[in-house]
Amino acid sequence: MGLMSILIVDDSEDNQILLRAILRNAGYTEVLTAASARDAFDHLGMDGLASCETGIDLILMDIMMPDVDGIEACRRIKAYTRLRDIPIIMVTALTEVNYIEASFEAGAMDYVTKPVNKIEVLSRIRSALSLKRETEARKCAYVELEEKNQELARESLVKSQILSTATHELKTPLTSIVGYAKRMLQNQETVGPLNERQQRYVEAIQESSYQLTILINDLLDTSRIEAGRLEVTPTQLQVQQKVEDVVRAMQTQFEEKQIRVVLDIPSQLCPIYVDHDRCTQIITNLLGNACKYSSVGASVTITAAENGEFVQVDVADTGMGISEEDQLKLFTKFFRADNTATRAESGTGLGLFITKQLIQAHGGAIWVKSEVGTGSIFSFTLPRADVDLTRQDMPVETRSTGIV
Amino acid sequence: MTPTSGAGYGGKILVRVDSDIQDIIPGFLGHRRDDIESILRALDHDDYETVRFLGHSMKGAGGGYGFDGITELGHSMELAAMGQNAQEVRKLVSELATYLESVEVVYE
């Protein structure tokens, strides 16, 4: 308490003396006095270019003063950023209560009436100082938080850059593996025939490198999303055709688990406006998940229908379902359902995260309805191509903060 | 036995003052005696502004030191000065002088 410095601004010497005595008796030994507003401004270093701390923790300001009055003085002090947080308590005669509203508007924290009551003055001062201490503590915490935030942002950027570089470096040798495996399988007349075992081995290499390609592309997409550089180039597309194409491409996968795929898509369904390759990616991801989490012999149903300005596609499975707790984390990075049966299967945990970003990049939405033991329905919307006639085939960039 | 009421007892006006501020009381009362001189001088020059200022100051400070009587006198003096009523001012100055002579401070 003795470290708190108080400035008394009052043109009446008697008041200065009285207040100083009251403060001194309460333990406030650091008391400065000013007989006018201009004197006060000097104490506060307002005329100079002082950027250092004034060391004044509170001001008791008389309202009625010649030249610059207390309210104007308060206003001017509050205009200075470095002085703005000094609490100002106005001292006003009872007959001047009209000025109280103006005082608060000028930035005063409180007021006491003259003739001063010792207990009232001390209580107001104590509460003003404790509020100031709290405000300062909060400001410090905020500054610390800001700094931590910036540090984290920097680290995140570095990580993204590392990710981006690494994935580019990985792609080159991978392209080699994929290329040679393909040539060995498909160009046997020129490269040389493969015996049965060799054929199986090279197919296994091909399958693995295909998985690796998906993984690297997922990582690349993720780093692009985090950097806000995911680009999609939407054009018109017929849903039915695209779904049929993807199902055909995934035929082997479905056959392995004897999964039946049912399509319920009206032929007259309006076209949608979507990046073709990304649409393949989205549907492949959702169908892949449906297959992965379904048991042998199950069925997966794909329906599509118009929904306002969008087309909604539902991918329904009768698989193991998703708990409510997991549903909340489903679309986050690296999330994978905790299940020993599927853990062994491949998957980065990035599929749904990227799928969601892609859909949102088109202005659509994705959500899930699911029940453990019953199955899941993943639904997503993409904009209709026939609604906005002014739409052009232009690349659309995502704005992503990297926060999911 | 200490009288508990204010004016009138043996011509003395009893004022109870916080012993905490004992040291500044003599100075305050001394300033009021100075004020009497200043006010009379100001009246000679028709300087009502000075009278008003001194009355206003007295009004603001008096009660804080424990002298409600001085706050009241100061208030009346301020009004009289604003009305440029010299006669009233002189009357109040005389009351102030009497007050200062009769006042007895009890520290507690």
Side-chain angles (χ1 to χ4, degrees), chain B residues 3-100:
Chain B
T4 51
S5 64
Y9 183 75
K12 292 265 170 211
I13 301 170
L14 232 56
V15 170
R16 290 172 149 45
V17 169
D18 204 334
S19 56
D20 266 357
I21 55 172
Q22 193 166 346
D23 55 327
I24 60 174
I25 300 301
F28 177 72
L29 295 173
H31 282 159
R32 302 295 70 79
R33 281 177 207 113
D34 296 340
D35 281 354
I36 289 175
E37 265 177 67
S38 309
I39 292 169
L40 292 174
R41 232 181 301 134
L43 280 181
D44 287 341
H45 303 291
D46 287 332
D47 179 5
Y48 289 100
E49 180 47 40
T50 300
V51 178
R52 190 205 66 77
F53 175 76
L54 292 171
H56 179 85
S57 287
M58 251 186 273
K59 174 183 83 176
Y65 282 81
F67 302 98
D68 291 334
I70 293 182
T71 286
E72 279 175 44
L73 281 169
H75 182 46
S76 305
M77 199 141 357
E78 190 184 8
L79 293 173
M82 277 157 57
Q84 305 204 341
N85 190 338
Q87 195 180 356
E88 180 67 18
V89 173
R90 283 185 204 280
K91 173 168 152 266
L92 291 165
V93 167
S94 152
E95 277 183 42
L96 177 60
T98 310
Y99 182 93
L100 291 171

Side-chain angles (χ1 to χ4, degrees), chain A residues 281-300:
Chain A
Q281 195 175 348
I282 291 166
I283 297 171
T284 307
N285 173 240
L286 294 176
L287 283 180
N289 284 344
C291 180
K292 192 197 295 190
Y293 294 99
S294 287
S295 38
V296 174
S299 68
V300 173

Side-chain angles (χ1 to χ4, degrees), chain A residues 11-19 21-22 24-25 62 64 66 93 95-96 114-118, chain B residues 18 20-21 23-24 27-28 31-32 35 53 56-57 59-65 68 71 75 78:
Chain A
D11 58 341
S12 151
E13 206 191 331
D14 291 311
N15 271 323
Q16 285 181 22
I17 294 170
L18 177 61
L19 284 170
I22 290 175
R24 172 204 67 202
N25 294 336
D62 183 29
M64 283 306 198
T95 51
E96 294 157 12
K114 276 196 287 201
V116 295
N117 174 297
K118 171 179 87 170
Chain B
D18 204 334
D20 266 357
I21 55 172
D23 55 327
I24 60 174
F28 177 72
H31 282 159
R32 302 295 70 79
D35 281 354
F53 175 76
H56 179 85
S57 287
K59 174 183 83 176
Y65 282 81
D68 291 334
T71 286
H75 182 46
E78 190 184 8

Side-chain angles (χ1 to χ4, degrees), chain A residues 335-349:
Chain A
F335 173 80
R336 290 184 60 193
D338 205 0
N339 187 291
T340 44
T342 54
R343 263 243 175 266
E345 297 188 38
S346 62
T348 54

